[in-house]
Amino acid sequence: MTTHRPPNCGPAWFRGANRLLDGAAGLFQTAAELLLTVMLVINFANIVLRNTGQPSLLWVSPWTLVLMVWAVFLGFFVMYRRHLDIVLGLVIDRLGPFGRRMARVLTALAGLAFTLILLAETPQILTRQRGTMELIGLTRYWLSLPLLASAAMLTLHFLTDLIGVLAGWADDDAPGSEEAAQW
């Protein structure tokens, strides 16, 4: 688990919040990896069955879709928390230290606005997703729960990042491509 903040920077509550968010990112990553593993296993089993003349498992395709949606939604938080999102490094690097800080502030504000709007819409999102998914038996609103969990964690991430940048507790440097390759 990597973090891009100086480890002893800021007050104890700030360091603790970052440790909790880093831990949550580890849990979200593990959950996404487990979901991908289940997808691999059930699809492999389905292929083996079909190639041995057995009937196809009809439930594999819809469950694969659900598991993929869940893995992607859980991965949103992990990518932003670990700073593996796409950045305009060519432009940002030319802004200098103050410009990089302001870009990070704007990113945090935009992220907060997006996640807070998404979370504010949660009651409507959940009420609109009615009905049961065929061959799965789950109510459609289950598709949104990982997205809402990521949005809640991203809200806390962007808030702590904004506080850290404005207070001078956060590192200005973005991780390099070697960090992304490790993940």
Side-chain angles (χ1 to χ4, degrees):
M1 175 173 20
T2 55
T3 178
H4 303 292
R5 288 155 230 70
N8 296 318
C9 211
W13 67 265
F14 183 77
R15 293 189 314 269
N18 276 312
R19 278 193 303 276
L20 286 173
L21 288 169
D22 288 339
L27 291 175
F28 275 51
Q29 180 178 347
T30 300
E33 290 169 346
L34 288 172
L35 293 171
L36 292 173
T37 302
V38 170
M39 287 171 42
L40 175 68
V41 168
I42 64 175
N43 279 283
F44 182 74
N46 200 28
I47 291 169
V48 168
L49 285 173
R50 288 191 343 220
N51 284 323
T52 59
Q54 301 297 317
S56 178
L57 301 173
L58 296 177
W59 53 267
V60 168
S61 181
W63 267 108
T64 298
L65 176 66
V66 169
L67 296 175
M68 185 62 159
V69 167
W70 287 348
V72 168
F73 287 164
L74 291 173
F76 285 159
F77 170 60
V78 177
M79 288 180 59
Y80 275 97
R81 183 69 192 160
R82 302 229 169 114
H83 297 280
L84 298 174
D85 52 313
I86 298 171
V87 296
L88 299 173
L90 184 66
V91 175
I92 300 296
D93 290 344
R94 299 188 192 295
L95 297 177
F98 180 76
R100 282 194 301 271
R101 282 186 65 183
M102 288 304 100
R104 196 148 158 201
V105 166
L106 288 173
T107 300
L109 289 172
L112 277 170
F114 177 77
T115 57
L116 289 172
I117 289 169
L118 181 62
L119 291 172
E121 293 293 320
T122 297
Q124 286 187 358
I125 291 170
L126 294 178
T127 57
R128 288 181 184 159
Q129 294 186 335
R130 299 180 211 185
T132 303
M133 293 180 277
E134 291 182 26
L135 300 174
I136 295 175
L138 291 178
T139 309
R140 293 194 184 279
Y141 81 92
W142 284 98
L143 287 173
S144 299
L145 295 184
L147 173 65
L148 298 172
S150 273
M153 297 308 293
L154 281 168
T155 300
L156 297 174
H157 162 75
F158 287 126
L159 184 60
T160 57
D161 198 46
L162 180 63
I163 292 168
V165 169
L166 292 176
W169 302 331
D171 188 4
D172 283 343
D173 296 327
S177 58
E178 69 282 350
E179 178 77 25
Q182 289 176 357
W183 188 71

